[in-house]
Amino acid sequence: ARIRMSGFSADDAALMRDARTVEIETSTGPGMAAHRVIIWIVVDVDGRTFVRSWLGERGRWYRELVANPAGVVHVGERRIPVRARRADEAGIEACSRLLREKHRTSRASLQSMLRDEILHTTLELEPA
């Protein structure tokens, strides 16, 4: 596995890593109305940052980020502009592992995030 820093500042990566939940802001395109929803986010030791839609392709934020990869992660008062792209196989596996570590006390919710039919909705976020 090649090691590469995602480019998020150490502070932003730590904020996202430590947050139980964050809000993601998406829209269908520039100038279109944005909407925000609470999601889970995970960050690995190299700062690679992943999100996954528990609704699969029905998730509005997921559909919007695929159509328009520009979004914003809100952690408390912090606003972190991001660009999304589909995670590769290694990213999908990393996301599942990180979700298991971060949310092991939320068993039912965690299981819904590890279903085979939604693994392909894993997105990797990078700084915009």
Side-chain angles (χ1 to χ4, degrees):
R2 60 189 208 286
I3 304 295
R4 64 175 177 70
M5 290 304 289
S6 72
F8 285 112
S9 71
D11 286 351
D12 285 351
L15 268 177
M16 292 185 290
R17 183 182 297 117
D18 296 342
R20 193 85 187 129
T21 60
V22 300
E23 282 190 312
I24 189 125
E25 178 183 318
T26 59
S27 74
T28 52
M32 303 301 287
H35 99 285
R36 282 167 66 159
V37 65
I38 295 171
I39 63 167
W40 284 0
I41 193 167
V42 290
V43 182
D44 75 7
V45 293
D46 299 315
R48 290 182 69 189
T49 302
F50 302 99
V51 294
R52 177 180 293 160
S53 173
W54 75 276
L55 287 175
E57 293 178 10
R58 296 193 330 265
R60 177 176 169 182
W61 70 265
Y62 170 78
R63 289 193 323 267
E64 290 185 350
L65 267 184
V66 168
N68 173 35
V72 178
V73 170
H74 295 269
V75 190
E77 297 301 304
R78 187 85 179 91
R79 186 177 185 283
I80 305 167
V82 297
R83 256 193 107 60
R85 61 185 176 76
R86 291 183 190 277
D88 59 17
E89 209 54 48
I92 291 170
E93 287 170 24
C95 181
S96 293
R97 177 177 47 78
L98 293 161
L99 285 168
R100 280 189 201 95
E101 290 168 11
K102 185 172 183 176
H103 296 285
R104 58 183 173 272
T105 58
S106 307
R107 271 199 199 85
S109 299
L110 175 60
Q111 286 314 310
S112 74
M113 291 295 284
L114 300 173
R115 299 185 332 269
D116 285 344
E117 64 268 24
I118 66 164
L119 296 182
H120 72 282
T121 66
T122 306
L123 298 176
E124 184 167 354
L125 303 182
E126 295 177 328

